[in-house]
Amino acid sequence: MDSDALPLSRGTLDRDARRRSDGIEAILAGPRVRVVRVRRGRVSGDETGLELGSEIAEGAEAAYLGRDEDGWSYVADLGTGLPDPDPGRALDDPQGPPSGISVRDVGWQLEPLAAGVATAALAMANWHAAHRFCPRCGAPSTLALAGWERQCSREGSAQYPRTDAAVIMSIVDDDDRLLLGHGVAWPATQFSVPAGFVEPGESLESAVRREVLEETAIEVGEVTYQGSQPWPFPASLMLGFRGRAVTTEPRPDGVEVTEAMFVSREELTTLITDGTIRLPRPTSIAHYLISDWYGRDWPVTPWISA
Ligand SMILES: [Zn+2]
């Protein structure tokens, strides 16, 4: 699998970390500034590209994302910091439908630069929204280092933007069949490969084996790293693996996973073609792990789920 081709891993922005110490005001006052706006989990623009301004909204916080090869500086307008009770609220909400793009839906359609800017902007907006108070003493914190730090207003301690490691894996048995499961909260026909968060004190390989065992009772032997992509929904980094199953009778846990099965390529083709199952949308690393196992001769359309 070509990790650099993963939709949200294609960003070409120079993160230009040295300039962060100038502060966001100085960066915004400089030449060639492009501002991307994040509101309610959506990024300004549509599937053809980002909508870029030159200023941030009054009272909004902002983060410097980096610069492109033409010298444009990209800044994310993160909003005012007021909590958004429900970023996915219904379209009939009195505030109106959310504007802008869902990176999850259209990230794979964006140009590499735009995909990288949108992904970083959303990731930063999500982190800042969730870290407005100091985890040591509970006092409000303020943005510093052009968005790459928050400082406690009482004691000055610093917090830095983090990301949550999650593993996702194509598990293949000795007959080269792929393990698929159905998550309890998913639409009825949706299937994917196993995934889960890495726990504190755990290696990535252990997390791969533990998650598959917990969800499907399948034991995994050899584990091989495949690639990664950021997944800011709200704060994950997806680390893709391939694992070798050493048992062949999946038993779903009934809690997180309600169905699990090994499928051959022929069986999967039939299940997709007759509409029995749908597979993950093209922005996800799951899509690429499954495609990589399946091989090259795969029609695009059946992969795209609503
Ligand atoms: Zn504090």
Side-chain angles (χ1 to χ4, degrees):
M1 191 170 73
D2 179 7
S3 187
D4 293 334
L6 291 167
L8 304 186
S9 294
R10 295 172 298 143
T12 55
L13 215 55
D14 172 1
R15 291 194 162 220
D16 191 23
R18 284 186 198 171
R19 199 160 159 232
R20 295 171 185 171
S21 57
D22 292 354
I24 194 67
E25 288 81 9
I27 292 167
L28 280 166
R32 293 198 154 202
V33 175
R34 286 174 169 162
V35 175
V36 60
R37 191 180 64 246
V38 185
R39 294 290 186 276
R40 297 163 65 188
R42 300 175 86 90
V43 177
S44 53
D46 59 32
E47 68 277 3
T48 65
L50 301 181
E51 179 190 335
L52 299 164
S54 57
E55 296 179 342
I56 63 167
E58 189 174 345
E61 290 187 334
Y64 176 51
L65 303 179
R67 61 182 169 189
D68 68 14
E69 57 188 11
D70 296 323
W72 286 93
S73 295
Y74 289 77
V75 170
D77 175 334
L78 308 173
T80 61
L82 293 172
D84 185 349
D86 179 11
R89 65 165 69 85
L91 297 181
D92 59 358
D93 186 277
Q95 289 190 32
S99 64
I101 56 168
S102 158
V103 176
R104 190 198 290 252
D105 288 345
V106 306
W108 66 286
Q109 294 171 291
L110 297 173
E111 296 293 322
L113 175 67
V117 169
T119 301
L122 180 60
M124 290 294 274
N126 289 343
W127 185 81
H128 281 277
H131 293 82
R132 305 212 158 263
F133 298 93
C134 172
R136 291 158 53 99
C137 75
S141 61
T142 55
L143 182 147
L145 210 60
W148 294 91
E149 182 182 324
R150 292 193 78 87
Q151 289 177 350
C152 173
S153 58
R154 181 182 294 160
E155 51 176 12
S157 64
Q159 297 293 320
Y160 302 96
R162 307 286 176 88
T163 188
D164 299 329
V167 289
I168 183 164
M169 39 276 178
S170 52
I171 303 299
V172 178
D173 72 5
D174 285 343
D175 294 326
D176 207 19
R177 298 181 305 164
L178 179 71
L179 180 62
L180 292 176
H182 171 69
V184 64
W186 297 350
T189 58
Q190 185 74 43
F191 280 73
S192 188
V193 294
F197 286 108
V198 181
E199 295 184 342
E202 183 177 49
S203 72
L204 298 172
E205 292 82 359
S206 296
V208 169
R209 296 189 180 101
R210 174 184 55 75
E211 283 287 345
V212 177
L213 188 66
E214 284 178 0
E215 293 183 357
T216 67
I218 290 295
E219 293 178 30
V220 174
E222 185 184 0
V223 168
T224 312
Y225 177 67
Q226 299 288 295
S228 70
Q229 79 165 349
W231 195 243
F233 313 107
S236 296
L237 172 66
M238 304 301 297
L239 298 138
F241 290 84
R242 178 174 280 216
R244 175 66 63 178
V246 296
T247 59
T248 56
E249 296 294 328
R251 293 192 307 276
D253 65 6
V255 179
E256 287 185 70
V257 173
T258 52
E259 291 178 68
M261 59 186 174
F262 278 104
V263 293
S264 67
R265 289 172 183 76
E266 293 70 28
E267 288 166 340
L268 183 60
T269 305
T270 302
L271 289 167
I272 293 285
T273 307
D274 70 12
T276 305
I277 72 171
R278 293 186 310 178
L279 292 173
R281 67 190 92 194
T283 306
S284 69
I285 189 172
H287 179 101
Y288 287 84
L289 288 169
I290 297 169
S291 295
D292 192 55
W293 162 79
Y294 189 88
R296 292 177 185 170
D297 301 315
W298 188 257
V300 171
T301 310
W303 295 93
I304 300 175
S305 58

